[in-house]
Amino acid sequence: MTRPANLPTYLLALAALVLPLAVAIPAAAEVRFGNNVRIGGHDASNQRFDRRSRGVYHIYEGRPRNPGCSWRSDGRGGRVKVCHLQRIRRH
């Protein structure tokens, strides 16, 4: 194997080729809520969300127009849990 004449330029060119490949690989993330998890004062324990099953929580100071949670399609083969909740103040 021959040694390149300019090693720093060679390493820079190698990094320029490898970096886009590393960035192009999508990250697989999953969120798992454990015990005693509260969102806006509401119990959200033992739920799991990933790229196919997502959650959106809207927290209101006053009473929301459509309170509660519902599952909806996201149009890409997944589903979204949409929650409209009133904040519970704990003193």
Side-chain angles (χ1 to χ4, degrees):
M1 186 166 152
T2 61
R3 186 168 184 183
N6 193 350
L7 188 60
T9 305
Y10 176 74
L11 291 176
L12 184 64
L14 183 64
L17 291 174
V18 172
L19 184 62
L21 292 176
V23 174
I25 299 172
E30 180 176 286
V31 176
R32 292 184 183 182
F33 293 149
N35 294 329
N36 300 322
V37 175
R38 299 209 169 263
I39 297 176
H42 295 271
D43 186 25
S45 300
N46 300 318
Q47 296 186 36
R48 180 182 59 87
F49 297 111
D50 56 14
R51 69 180 186 163
R52 302 211 61 198
S53 173
R54 300 187 325 262
V56 176
Y57 288 85
H58 300 279
I59 307 298
Y60 298 91
E61 293 297 326
R63 184 169 171 80
R65 184 175 7 166
N66 297 321
C69 298
S70 64
W71 285 98
R72 298 186 182 156
S73 173
D74 68 353
R76 299 182 303 165
R79 59 190 190 149
V80 180
K81 182 177 185 179
V82 179
C83 294
H84 297 277
L85 305 173
Q86 182 177 358
R87 181 179 306 278
I88 298 175
R89 295 280 184 196
R90 303 237 187 247
H91 296 286

